[in-house]
Amino acid sequence: MKKVKLGFVGAGYMGQLAHLPHYIESEICEVVALAETRTRLARLVAEKYRIPKVYSSHLELCQDADIEAVVEITADSEHAPVAIDLMKAGKHVLTEKPMATTLEDARKMVQTAKAKGVKLMVGYMKRYDPGVVKAKEIIDALRQSGELGAITYVRSHCFGGDWICNIGQPISTDEPRPERKRKAPSWLPPEWSDSFLGFNNVFCHNINLLRFFLGEVRKVDFVELSKELKAKVVVLNFGDFLATLETGWISADHWEEETKIYFEHGWVEVKTPPPLLRNVPAQVEVYKAGKIQELVYPRSPWEWAFKRMSEHFLECITKDRAPNSTGSDSLKDVELMEEIFRSYLVRKGLL
């Protein structure tokens, strides 16, 4: 089988610990180039993984005709401009979530992918967690069979905690980090930029998971984002039922995140693991109430969502398939993010 010639942009913490090793280990991929603005760091990482070409800019990588696809792991506000440059050069791209920090940029990314005929995949690794995949299959089957009745309510809860789980340390140097200009929606009052960018970075995952499990959100019913409150609440309307998104932070020694889907006669609960906990899938609980009164805990293989995501990206290229987290699908998360903040600010008379 012909191997995918891959370029990699970004040799920081997440690039080294969560993404790059999977492509190095892949039997259907050859990492041929690394682009990183910190030149000494780039050289050290390239030496460790025996990557033959090192570039100081993704623009140099764009000119490399050998490269078919690129994994881009940079700061949130850089995802759009970097990915657009790469796609204009004819490269398939996997970019980290969130796909962009403004709806305008996200739309440009989708338009560019379509115009150039390349694949744009967004790194929502939770969609590739084997426990999440199993839960999706169970939820779909229950909705089709009606065994537990209709969905009545959904609760998505993420309060964070320890997401690193002693994964280890990447290669580092004393080189200064490049200056990054953070970009928020142009309509957003400047004093709300940090709040928006932080919320978008973490909780886009939860919005994406809700859509993955349940379909599209009809409208945003209610939002409470007050800066004075440590926690935030969003009520999303799916038409036949409501879903609440509860977000915050806690100094826990574990990862506090779950999605619970209530039916008339039971529930499906999905507890997602800390992002950097290797080879531990989401825990799934199925409760069948009524006359059945049964709790079931379906088991999933010991696999890491990040690794499965990398395998999926490569398979989409070699087999010419659409990714399970396309740019056009992920665009809807950006639309909802902006609507959540716009809804709150309008209600409070701040916009």
Side-chain angles (χ1 to χ4, degrees):
M1 177 187 292
K2 180 183 176 182
K3 291 187 176 183
V4 176
K5 301 286 187 180
L6 189 86
F8 202 92
V9 179
Y13 186 90
M14 290 297 290
Q16 288 187 52
L17 296 182
H19 294 274
L20 181 57
H22 306 309
Y23 297 97
I24 297 295
E25 295 167 2
S26 173
E27 296 180 354
I28 62 172
C29 166
E30 181 182 356
V31 182
V32 298
L34 170 66
E36 166 62 53
T37 57
R38 291 165 287 183
T39 55
R40 196 148 41 93
L41 177 62
R43 177 173 50 79
L44 291 172
V45 174
E47 287 175 356
K48 176 180 179 179
Y49 291 107
R50 299 180 181 180
I51 302 172
K53 303 176 188 179
V54 179
Y55 299 125
S56 61
S57 167
H58 75 279
L59 294 174
E60 296 176 76
L61 194 148
C62 287
Q63 303 304 314
D64 191 328
D66 290 339
I67 295 172
E68 182 180 1
V70 179
V71 176
E72 184 263 313
I73 312 298
T74 61
D76 292 357
S77 296
E78 295 176 3
H79 294 168
V82 172
I84 288 171
D85 286 342
L86 293 167
M87 290 188 290
K88 284 182 176 178
K91 319 295 187 188
H92 303 294
V93 174
L94 184 150
T95 186
E96 255 288 15
K97 60 78 215 166
M99 69 180 293
T101 58
T102 75
L103 183 54
E104 179 184 11
D105 281 349
R107 286 171 174 162
K108 287 179 181 177
M109 294 170 75
V110 173
Q111 291 165 0
T112 304
K114 183 177 180 180
K116 301 301 294 186
V118 295
K119 301 183 193 304
L120 172 61
M121 177 171 161
V122 179
Y124 281 116
M125 87 290 182
K126 295 181 193 290
R127 284 197 177 198
Y128 304 94
D129 180 301
V132 169
V133 172
K134 184 178 289 292
K136 167 70 170 169
E137 293 171 353
I138 292 169
I139 293 163
D140 287 349
L142 289 172
R143 296 181 80 176
Q144 184 172 3
S145 70
E147 180 183 357
L148 299 184
I151 294 176
T152 59
Y153 178 70
V154 179
R155 176 176 177 258
S156 176
H157 174 89
C158 184
F159 264 57
D162 182 359
W163 63 281
I164 294 174
C165 297
N166 198 29
I167 193 173
Q169 293 297 322
I171 296 171
S172 62
T173 66
D174 59 1
E175 294 167 286
R177 291 180 177 272
E179 290 188 15
R180 293 166 175 161
K181 185 177 180 181
R182 288 157 60 86
K183 183 179 181 182
S186 59
W187 58 265
L188 190 71
E191 63 271 22
W192 281 90
S193 291
D194 286 348
S195 181
F196 175 87
L197 293 172
F199 195 86
N200 189 39
N201 175 269
V202 178
F203 305 115
C204 65
H205 269 306
N206 302 96
I207 289 175
N208 186 267
L209 264 187
L210 286 172
R211 293 181 47 252
F212 181 60
F213 286 143
L214 306 168
E216 298 310 325
V217 176
R218 299 284 185 88
K219 62 177 180 174
V220 178
D221 269 0
F222 178 79
V223 180
E224 183 54 75
L225 300 173
S226 174
K227 292 180 181 179
E228 292 75 24
L229 300 176
K230 299 297 183 182
K232 298 173 171 56
V233 177
V234 178
V235 180
L236 303 172
N237 191 320
F238 281 83
D240 296 327
F241 55 88
L242 299 177
T244 56
L245 171 60
E246 310 163 358
T247 69
W249 202 260
I250 186 171
S251 60
D253 66 350
H254 61 282
W255 185 249
E256 181 80 8
E257 182 179 45
E258 64 179 31
T259 306
K260 194 166 187 178
I261 299 161
Y262 290 88
F263 293 79
E264 292 175 290
H265 307 295
W267 65 61
V268 177
E269 183 176 35
V270 186
K271 293 186 177 181
T272 25
L276 296 189
L277 183 60
R278 293 189 180 104
N279 300 323
V280 175
Q283 299 175 8
V284 182
E285 175 184 278
V286 181
Y287 172 49
K288 298 182 179 182
K291 296 180 180 179
I292 302 173
Q293 293 300 319
E294 178 182 64
L295 274 174
V296 181
Y297 298 91
R299 301 291 295 172
S300 300
W302 299 109
E303 295 178 341
W304 195 15
F306 278 106
K307 187 175 190 299
R308 284 173 58 110
M309 182 176 70
S310 68
E311 293 169 347
H312 181 78
F313 179 53
L314 296 173
E315 287 176 1
C316 286
I317 296 169
T318 58
K319 298 178 181 180
D320 193 24
R321 295 175 178 170
N324 193 26
S325 50
T326 61
S328 56
D329 179 81
S330 303
L331 174 64
K332 298 170 185 176
D333 299 319
V334 185
E335 291 173 343
L336 280 168
M337 274 292 172
E338 291 209 8
E339 180 56 28
I340 285 168
F341 273 75
R342 182 182 287 108
S343 172
Y344 174 77
L345 293 173
V346 168
R347 179 170 66 87
K348 291 293 187 177
L350 301 173
L351 190 66

